Amino acid sequence: MGDVEAYSNFTVTEKKTRKVKKTTKRRESNDAGTDVTITEIERTTNGNQGGEYTKAMNKDWHGQHFCCWQCDESLTGQRYVLRDEHPYCVSCYESVFANGCEKCNKIIGIDSKDLSYKDKHWHEACFLCTACGESLVDKQFGSRSDRIYCGKCYDEKFASRCDGCGEIFRAGTKKMEYKTRQWHEKCFCCVMCKTPIGTQSFIPREQEIYCAKCYEEKYATRCIKCNKVITSGGVTYKNEPWHRECFTCTNCQTSLAGARFTSRDDKPYCADCFGELFAKRCYACSRPITGIGGTKFISFEDRHWHNDCFYCASCRTSLVGKGFITDNTDIICPECAKQKLN
């Protein structure tokens, strides 16, 4: 709505005018940016009768010519409102230009203060909190879904709440946020030790927040041997975690990380220790037959040989996959056996 002024005009007799009195009675500014001035002017004249005219808008008019721009009714002696340099009677101005009140649906006339917010308008008496009915004039308020609320009611209904204590975030309160959750600074603390996290590192787990120390105490992977936290580079053996430096041969304590090993009674051994302690020994070379790395061996009666050691005692020909004959404690090929018989 543009700037408007409401006036009372007057009729004068043009002859021997002696006294002029102008009195401004009320000027109001509403929230829509509209200034409304209601003015009454009294003019007294003395002298002989002369022609009458109307003085308005800093101009002189014949009485029948100063009319409402909308309905053409004479404005002589009537209050009028000026809009875009055109005069309107109060009734036409209010029906064409005045806003309707959002609460009571009545016209907000020129004698009422028009309070506006987001293209909506209210009488001063109608500008109330939707929830508690308290006047919002000259007070902070909030809006939601085209409704207005006082600060207290808005906070109770719509303000975001702390995921720790459930209380709302008051204006100016520092807020800690992580993903879709938010906390008061004092509520953003470790679920175990209750120490505020602040700017320290933290670890989320499900719906709870842990400081690094408490998370390690409760959930971090620990070495099955030394029971200390494995921070990096661990080894898994039989579904159990080990530090690389803790995963050693049970007998000689040599590191088994990246090396060949085998186990006995669920304990790891390097190849050498396992062979020395538990493996069968080759009848030919007396070295252990470990089987590590897919080593093949031959067994006969109570004796065992590496594949490479299973050969004829006379001609040294390999007997792997061939027939052989025992000669006391030796094994010989059929050809050597014939030669001995001859």
Side-chain angles (χ1 to χ4, degrees), residues 25 29 61 65 69 87 117 133 167 170 185 206 216 231 236 257 263 267 279 287:
K25 304 211 54 176
S29 297
W61 308 72
H65 290 161
W69 190 260
Y117 175 71
E167 296 296 323
R170 301 291 181 184
E185 187 174 16
E206 296 177 350
E216 287 184 356
T231 57
T236 300
S263 64
K267 295 178 180 180
R287 289 184 290 110

Side-chain angles (χ1 to χ4, degrees), residues 152-173:
K152 180 180 179 181
C153 290
Y154 185 89
D155 285 346
E156 289 297 327
K157 288 179 174 293
F158 309 113
S160 57
R161 294 181 178 271
C162 173
D163 281 288
C165 67
E167 296 296 323
I168 64 174
F169 291 98
R170 301 291 181 184
T173 302

Side-chain angles (χ1 to χ4, degrees), residues 52-337:
E52 291 187 347
Y53 67 92
T54 295
K55 188 172 185 65
M57 299 168 59
N58 296 321
K59 297 178 183 179
D60 298 331
W61 308 72
H62 289 115
Q64 68 272 21
H65 290 161
F66 187 60
C67 302
C68 172
W69 190 260
Q70 180 75 12
C71 67
D72 284 336
E73 291 293 324
S74 173
L75 296 177
T76 299
Q78 304 295 322
R79 288 198 308 167
Y80 67 94
V81 180
L82 192 63
R83 167 116 180 175
D84 299 331
E85 300 301 320
H86 299 306
Y88 294 85
C89 66
V90 172
S91 177
C92 286
Y93 177 83
E94 291 181 344
S95 64
V96 175
F97 300 111
N99 297 303
C101 177
E102 191 70 20
K103 182 173 177 60
C104 69
N105 294 321
K106 295 180 181 179
I107 291 294
I108 303 174
I110 64 171
D111 294 323
S112 299
K113 182 177 286 189
D114 184 330
L115 302 181
S116 65
Y117 175 71
K118 289 187 175 181
D119 297 326
K120 297 182 183 297
H121 300 264
W122 292 264
H123 291 103
E124 186 174 9
C126 294
F127 195 55
L128 310 174
C129 173
T130 303
C132 68
E134 181 181 353
S135 173
L136 300 179
V137 177
D138 297 327
K139 295 180 180 178
Q140 290 185 336
F141 64 92
S143 66
R144 187 71 169 249
S145 302
D146 294 331
R147 296 184 178 184
I148 53 175
Y149 300 86
C150 65
K152 180 180 179 181
C153 290
Y154 185 89
D155 285 346
E156 289 297 327
K157 288 179 174 293
F158 309 113
S160 57
R161 294 181 178 271
C162 173
D163 281 288
C165 67
E167 296 296 323
I168 64 174
F169 291 98
R170 301 291 181 184
T173 302
K174 191 172 182 179
K175 185 187 297 184
M176 310 296 288
E177 297 183 346
Y178 175 69
K179 292 187 176 179
T180 59
R181 305 176 68 198
Q182 50 194 358
W183 297 263
H184 292 107
E185 187 174 16
K186 64 181 177 64
C187 297
F188 188 57
C189 56
C190 173
V191 71
M192 287 184 65
C193 66
K194 306 303 180 184
T195 302
I197 300 295
T199 58
Q200 303 296 319
S201 60
F202 65 92
I203 302 172
R205 184 180 176 91
E206 296 177 350
Q207 295 300 309
E208 297 178 329
I209 299 296
Y210 295 84
C211 65
K213 181 179 178 181
C214 289
Y215 184 85
E216 287 184 356
E217 287 293 328
K218 189 169 184 178
Y219 296 111
T221 302
R222 293 180 176 274
C223 175
I224 195 66
K225 184 175 182 178
C226 69
N227 200 39
K228 294 181 180 179
V229 173
I230 300 174
T231 57
S232 63
V235 173
T236 300
Y237 173 63
K238 291 189 178 296
N239 295 322
E240 291 180 326
W242 306 65
H243 289 111
R244 291 179 65 86
E245 59 271 21
C246 291
F247 189 57
T248 59
C249 173
T250 304
N251 185 57
C252 69
Q253 304 306 313
T254 300
S255 175
L256 299 178
R260 295 192 304 169
F261 68 92
T262 188
S263 64
R264 177 76 173 240
D265 299 327
D266 290 331
K267 295 178 180 180
Y269 294 86
C270 66
D272 291 341
C273 287
F274 183 83
E276 290 295 329
L277 295 173
F278 309 110
K280 298 176 175 63
R281 291 188 176 272
C282 177
Y283 186 78
C285 69
S286 299
R287 289 184 290 110
I289 303 172
T290 62
I292 296 175
T295 301
K296 296 180 179 180
F297 63 95
I298 308 296
S299 294
F300 176 70
E301 295 179 346
D302 293 329
R303 293 181 293 174
H304 310 279
W305 294 263
H306 293 106
N307 266 22
D308 294 341
C309 295
F310 192 59
Y311 48 78
C312 174
S314 297
C315 68
R316 315 300 284 183
T317 300
S318 174
L319 298 177
V320 177
K322 300 178 181 180
F324 62 89
I325 297 169
T326 59
D327 181 19
N328 294 322
T329 59
D330 292 332
I331 55 171
I332 58 177
C333 66
E335 292 299 325
C336 290

Side-chain angles (χ1 to χ4, degrees), residues 19-75:
K19 182 179 180 182
V20 177
K21 181 181 179 182
K22 179 176 181 180
T23 305
T24 300
K25 304 211 54 176
R26 183 166 74 255
R27 180 179 178 85
E28 298 179 354
S29 297
N30 60 29
D31 288 354
T34 303
D35 288 339
V36 176
T37 303
I38 301 173
T39 305
E40 293 180 358
I41 299 176
E42 298 176 359
R43 182 180 290 272
T44 59
T45 60
N46 292 320
N48 298 327
Q49 292 183 351
E52 291 187 347
Y53 67 92
T54 295
K55 188 172 185 65
M57 299 168 59
N58 296 321
K59 297 178 183 179
D60 298 331
W61 308 72
H62 289 115
Q64 68 272 21
H65 290 161
F66 187 60
C67 302
C68 172
W69 190 260
Q70 180 75 12
C71 67
D72 284 336
E73 291 293 324
S74 173
L75 296 177

